[in-house]
Amino acid sequence: MARFPRPPEAFSVARQTGAFTPKFDRLAQVLARDPTGLELRADPTALAPERLLVFEVRGSIANFAAAIQRIPGIELVDEEELSASAEDKAPVAYLMVPDARALRELESLWRRWLAGTLNRGETPWQGVFALLRDLRPWGPTDRVAPEDSGVLAEEIFGRADADRIPLEIEIIFRANDNVARENEEEVRAAVIARDGAIISRARLPDIAYHALLVDLPVRAVREIIERAPGGIAGLDPVMHIRPQSVASSIEIAEAEGGGVADTITPLREPILAMLDGVPVAAHPLLARHVILDDQFGLEPDAPVNQRVHGTAMVSLAIHGDRNNPAPTLPRQVHVVPVLGAGDQFPPRRLVVDIIYLAVRAMREGVDATAPGVLIVNLSLGNARRPFHGTLSPWARLLDRLAYRYGILFLVSAGNNTDAIGLPTFPTHTAFEDATGADRSTATLHAIGNSMADRRLFSPSETINGITVGASNDDAVAPVDRHLARGNVDPYPDFRSPNPSSTLGPGFAKSVKPDILMPGAREHLRFVRTDDHLFVTPAGPGRAAGLKVAAPPARGIENAESYTNGTSAATALASRTCHRIHDALEAAYPNFMALTHLQRAVILKALLVHPARWPEDAAELIKGTIGPVGGHHTHIKDNIRRFLGYGYVDAEDAVACAADRATFWAVGALQPDRIATISVPVPVAIGGQPRPHHVAATLAWFTPVAPGRKSYRSVRLKLLEPDNLGALSVTPSKHQPDTNQTNRGTVFMRCWTGDKAPAVTANMTIDLVVQRDPDPGTPIDEPVPFGLAVTLAMPGIVEIYDQVRQRLAIPQQQPV
């Protein structure tokens, strides 16, 4: 019998009466004296009209959301901003109460609930009031998060009161243009009154985003840090105040010569775009391949010798790691600089606005600059905004653009280079002399103890995009590995995430990072010794790095250098995605006839599909972080924080092997529908007691829109085939469980076995893709999905040909 979760226990009427009746009594008294509610407006603790109210409730938000819609004029604000409560993991909802009439109706409902006289149609309020834990106005403490006030305090330390500090002020989004304009003017007036200035603004209704970039003197910033009710943090229209976004950075080693241009071959129009720093577009390794689209005029202000980030990332996408020679991409790459001088975001623009304008210019209208772009690489992040449960506007933007334009965004997870304390090692020498196993355990244990401080960087919590972490892989020759000179390899004996690679999970505890790709074998260097050793991730170099094109130095025009980290891993993931596209285009003549959405979702599925947990790394995480004796779900939860779905071997992602067959399908599901995909089983595996596996990966783009009851509006899943028993396979232990994979927009399952399958002639396994009922407001749009399925038995070389014959797929001649 299926078990359903027990509904949350309602609070007692006595508790609710004591907690909230005083608030409603005071509200009724003021409304009796002042029917307009204006008196409430001046009280920062009051439930005033035009004030954002915070409802903290137990259990599901669905009843609450349905109930408040019954009060005319009350507006639910951006419900994808919901975050969990520490007390009982209940959500928090935000209501905008526009006038005294709506507030009076709310007070009247409370009275009727207490008296047990709710009217017909008002019964949803029974659950709302019984489960209400707190009701308060959104205030200064909500608008300035502790981590943001800490950054601002560092920014103003030692500065004169008149010095100016840039800030991002996010305004509560209002759909009504006139109300939005009035709210913005109120904030503008407060900024100017404090001798501040408005630098830039953006209002994007698609993602319910309205923000100002402002310059404020230190004395006004101090007022914000103190959360003064009479300051800007006390203004009703303000949602959040944050320090200006700062781009995550990379390092490169000292430049050296050696870059040689590839053989001149015709290059086709781009399907890959990179939003990054200004590259050295004239570099011999890049000149033929790069289309530079300088939409924001950033190139003139970026000194050529400082164009590190864009040059390295574009080089990796086009050529891969230059230590591991590989063919260049057959198409040009469209590069839109979004980092200016110093590889930082333009100081006078909001980064969300820049990304929005860049993507729209590439894909929208008759003047689109890159209409064929399907993959967008973002080896970028906001180093000042680690993900802590609430989606950033940048992530919401990527999710919206992915579905709107049919774009697969690949986003770097981010690098945390904070010092790591190793309590078991008193000195650097002791760490260096320890066995590889002891170093690995100590490093992983230290990182595990600080997981909460090593979270993903915005916007890598994106739901529709793929988030890429860095594994400790590179192609450095053994003779060069010894040049590390005192830096220590923490994981010498196995593949693992790099120590600096940030950790998941993602939004709503979804699997993040999605995949790991090579980010160079990151070493650790000595920082200090207090009562024990402290180390930090070392920079890249010849001994541990990915070889890339670099800005000219010391007269070397064809300079190359070394880089590492999640930015590099993401560029390699984009390259791998491009190569998957190339392979599909070559093998299937009709592939290019698919829509952008269809091609994007199948690329998403096929990129994640070969990902597997490195078993030794998974076992080390299990044994070191545990929890020891914990439920397998809790153990896997910690493993996926580090590994996501696992490591992707680029060659495995595109290779064709005789002893396996990979199937792919695209489709679109209407609400409450299913799609069945029949996969032929080759008779060659029948009766063979050998290791074999079946793997399936489902990926889709969910529609997202502000104000819906669930941010991930559409949920798809794969139903387990009925006849897997005949194939003698069971779910693999080395993968996230279904409770973890059903929280994002990638659903992956792998089944393994080593007993002989019982295969009959013309046998198939049916994979059913199911669209669950929409959790919030029903979504009418069909949802595009891509499905990848692999059936493999190493050593049985007839598999591929038998499947091809069953499907009657003609052999394509290579061009």
Side-chain angles (χ1 to χ4, degrees):
M1 179 181 295
R3 291 189 177 184
F4 295 94
R6 180 178 298 177
E9 183 178 354
F11 292 110
S12 69
V13 174
R15 188 266 187 192
Q16 300 301 77
T17 301
F20 301 114
T21 294
K23 294 184 179 184
F24 283 109
D25 282 346
R26 182 170 171 280
L27 181 62
Q29 293 165 7
V30 174
L31 288 173
R33 291 196 310 267
D34 176 15
T36 66
L38 291 176
E39 184 178 327
L40 287 167
R41 200 182 287 273
D43 184 351
T45 66
L47 306 180
E50 276 301 338
R51 189 178 289 281
L52 188 63
L53 304 186
V54 181
F55 282 70
E56 296 183 12
V57 297
R58 275 186 174 173
S60 169
I61 201 73
N63 284 343
F64 174 83
I68 60 95
Q69 292 173 0
R70 299 177 184 274
I71 299 182
I74 287 185
E75 184 177 346
L76 185 64
V77 177
D78 206 9
E79 197 173 345
E80 49 263 37
E81 291 277 356
L82 300 180
S83 59
S85 161
E87 180 181 337
D88 59 11
K89 300 188 183 304
V92 177
Y94 310 124
L95 290 185
M96 180 61 69
V97 181
D99 54 34
R101 174 175 171 240
L103 204 56
R104 189 176 295 107
E105 177 61 17
L106 186 63
E107 188 267 342
S108 176
L109 280 163
W110 170 259
R111 304 290 177 196
R112 293 200 293 277
W113 175 71
L114 284 180
T117 58
L118 284 172
N119 297 325
R120 182 183 179 88
E122 295 174 346
T123 51
W125 284 97
Q126 177 80 28
V128 170
F129 289 133
L131 298 173
L132 185 63
R133 188 177 58 251
D134 195 14
L135 170 62
R136 59 183 173 80
W138 181 262
T141 56
D142 301 293
R143 297 183 178 108
V144 187
E147 57 269 24
D148 293 326
S149 65
V151 173
L152 291 176
E154 291 179 7
E155 287 267 291
I156 68 172
F157 181 77
R159 305 279 293 274
D161 277 359
D163 286 355
R164 291 177 173 272
I165 304 294
L167 294 173
E168 296 179 12
I169 301 178
E170 193 172 339
I171 299 171
I172 295 170
F173 183 82
R174 301 302 305 274
N176 183 287
D177 290 343
N178 291 330
V179 174
R181 192 177 305 110
E182 291 171 4
N183 284 352
E184 182 176 324
E185 285 304 317
E186 183 176 348
V187 178
R188 281 176 176 268
V191 169
I192 293 169
R194 287 160 177 80
D195 197 28
I198 308 299
I199 302 173
S200 183
R201 69 172 296 276
R203 182 170 180 268
L204 307 178
D206 271 0
I207 59 168
Y209 177 69
H210 189 179
L212 301 176
L213 179 62
V214 307
D215 260 343
L216 280 174
V218 165
R219 57 179 174 271
V221 176
R222 190 175 295 113
E223 184 184 53
I224 289 171
I225 294 171
E226 294 168 353
R227 299 174 176 85
I232 294 176
L235 295 177
D236 286 349
V238 173
M239 186 77 177
H240 296 294
I241 302 176
R242 295 190 173 98
Q244 186 177 19
S245 301
V246 169
S248 51
S249 60
I250 65 166
E251 294 183 58
I252 64 168
E254 186 174 352
E256 57 187 45
V260 179
D262 65 332
T263 304
I264 295 179
T265 54
L267 295 174
R268 299 160 62 198
E269 293 184 350
I271 59 167
L272 168 63
M274 306 192 76
L275 308 186
D276 212 287
V278 180
V280 181
H283 193 290
L285 288 172
L286 310 182
R288 293 186 54 251
H289 301 268
V290 170
I291 297 175
L292 187 61
D293 181 10
D294 189 17
Q295 296 180 20
F296 307 106
L298 300 178
E299 185 182 24
D301 296 326
V304 174
N305 63 352
Q306 295 179 17
R307 298 179 185 181
V308 172
H309 201 290
T311 303
M313 296 307 109
V314 172
S315 174
L316 284 167
I318 294 169
H319 302 285
D321 179 1
R322 293 276 295 169
N323 272 335
N324 186 19
T328 59
L329 295 182
R331 295 173 178 266
Q332 292 179 297
V333 173
H334 194 88
V335 181
V336 181
V338 295
L339 302 179
D343 279 336
Q344 279 299 317
F345 298 128
R348 307 194 68 78
R349 300 294 296 266
L350 289 158
V351 63
V352 173
D353 191 37
I354 286 176
I355 301 300
Y356 172 73
L357 293 174
V359 174
R360 191 177 70 172
M362 286 192 296
R363 286 291 308 275
E364 192 169 291
V366 294
D367 297 325
T369 58
V373 159
L374 186 70
I375 308 160
V376 171
N377 183 94
L378 270 172
S379 291
L380 303 172
N382 182 358
R384 285 179 165 173
R385 181 135 189 207
F387 172 65
H388 286 289
T390 302
L391 278 164
S392 64
W394 193 353
R396 298 205 315 267
L397 175 67
L398 299 187
D399 291 337
R400 175 62 176 157
L401 295 177
Y403 184 82
R404 178 176 175 181
Y405 292 119
I407 290 174
L408 178 58
F409 287 95
L410 283 85
V411 188
S412 58
N415 306 306
N416 186 318
T417 56
D418 291 347
I420 302 167
L422 302 174
T424 55
F425 293 103
T427 65
H428 182 260
T429 301
F431 184 53
E432 193 171 15
D433 291 344
T435 66
D438 286 345
R439 293 203 303 267
S440 300
T441 300
T443 303
L444 186 62
H445 190 268
I447 292 173
N449 285 339
S450 59
M451 285 192 294
D453 299 321
R454 309 184 74 85
R455 300 295 302 273
L456 306 168
F457 287 177
S458 161
S460 61
E461 72 273 22
T462 168
I463 292 292
N464 281 333
I466 294 294
T467 303
V468 186
S471 67
N472 61 338
D473 288 273
D474 57 31
V476 169
V479 67
D480 290 330
R481 189 73 77 191
H482 299 292
L483 301 175
R485 294 193 180 92
N487 293 332
V488 180
D489 186 349
Y491 304 124
D493 302 323
F494 58 89
R495 173 175 286 147
S496 75
N498 275 334
S500 67
S501 191
T502 55
L503 309 176
F507 179 71
K509 298 185 178 179
S510 59
V511 175
K512 291 287 176 179
D514 295 275
I515 60 173
L516 302 179
M517 290 287 283
R521 183 167 284 276
E522 189 173 68
H523 287 53
L524 298 175
R525 64 178 177 84
F526 169 76
V527 178
R528 67 182 187 276
T529 301
D530 294 335
D531 56 339
H532 59 266
L533 176 67
F534 285 83
V535 294
T536 192
R542 181 186 288 274
L546 307 174
K547 194 173 185 180
V548 294
R554 305 187 314 278
I556 305 172
E557 294 299 321
N558 61 341
E560 291 186 289
S561 186
Y562 298 88
T563 191
N564 66 354
T566 61
S567 290
T570 305
L572 291 177
S574 294
R575 172 181 169 82
T576 302
C577 203
H578 196 300
R579 293 180 62 202
I580 294 171
H581 185 281
D582 298 339
L584 293 174
E585 185 181 8
Y588 302 98
N590 295 327
F591 178 70
M592 294 301 291
L594 298 177
T595 66
H596 270 80
L597 271 170
Q598 290 172 326
R599 283 188 288 150
V601 291
I602 192 57
L603 289 180
K604 181 176 178 178
L606 287 167
L607 179 63
V608 179
H609 185 57
R612 297 291 181 270
W613 283 355
E615 293 187 16
D616 49 2
E619 289 300 318
L620 180 66
I621 296 168
K622 176 181 177 180
T624 303
I625 298 177
V628 176
H631 191 272
H632 72 91
T633 300
H634 298 149
I635 294 171
K636 286 189 173 183
D637 190 54
N638 279 330
I639 296 173
R640 73 186 176 112
R641 285 174 183 265
F642 287 81
L643 304 180
Y645 285 107
Y647 173 79
V648 171
D649 184 304
E651 297 309 313
D652 190 51
V654 297
C656 180
D659 56 3
R660 71 179 182 194
T662 295
F663 310 82
W664 62 273
V666 294
L669 276 182
Q670 298 285 350
D672 302 320
R673 300 303 297 270
I674 64 171
T676 302
I677 293 91
S678 294
V679 177
V681 179
V683 295
I685 70 171
Q688 301 276 4
R690 304 166 66 106
H692 57 286
H693 73 266
V694 178
T697 304
L698 174 70
W700 67 98
F701 287 159
T702 179
V704 293
R708 284 180 174 158
K709 298 176 191 176
S710 174
Y711 180 73
R712 187 191 62 166
S713 299
V714 173
R715 302 178 182 180
L716 305 186
K717 64 183 178 185
L718 279 173
L719 304 184
E720 186 162 311
D722 294 331
N723 55 346
L724 282 179
L727 295 181
S728 300
V729 291
T730 57
S732 170
K733 296 178 181 179
H734 294 94
Q735 63 178 332
D737 67 23
T738 52
N739 185 51
Q740 296 161 345
T741 62
N742 66 3
R743 294 176 178 270
T745 56
V746 174
F747 189 99
M748 175 191 282
R749 302 306 295 152
C750 182
W751 302 272
T752 62
D754 56 12
K755 293 182 171 60
V759 180
T760 58
N762 299 318
M763 180 178 174
T764 62
I765 53 173
D766 290 340
L767 288 161
V768 177
V769 180
Q770 176 175 297
R771 177 170 171 175
D772 288 347
D774 297 333
T777 306
I779 307 300
D780 295 331
E781 302 103 301
V783 173
F785 71 86
L787 176 66
V789 183
T790 292
L791 196 154
M793 180 178 278
I796 305 303
V797 296
E798 299 90 352
I799 290 177
Y800 184 84
D801 285 339
Q802 286 187 2
V803 167
R804 176 179 285 278
Q805 291 169 8
R806 286 274 301 274
L807 295 176
I809 298 174
Q811 184 73 45
Q812 295 298 312
Q813 295 300 318
V815 178

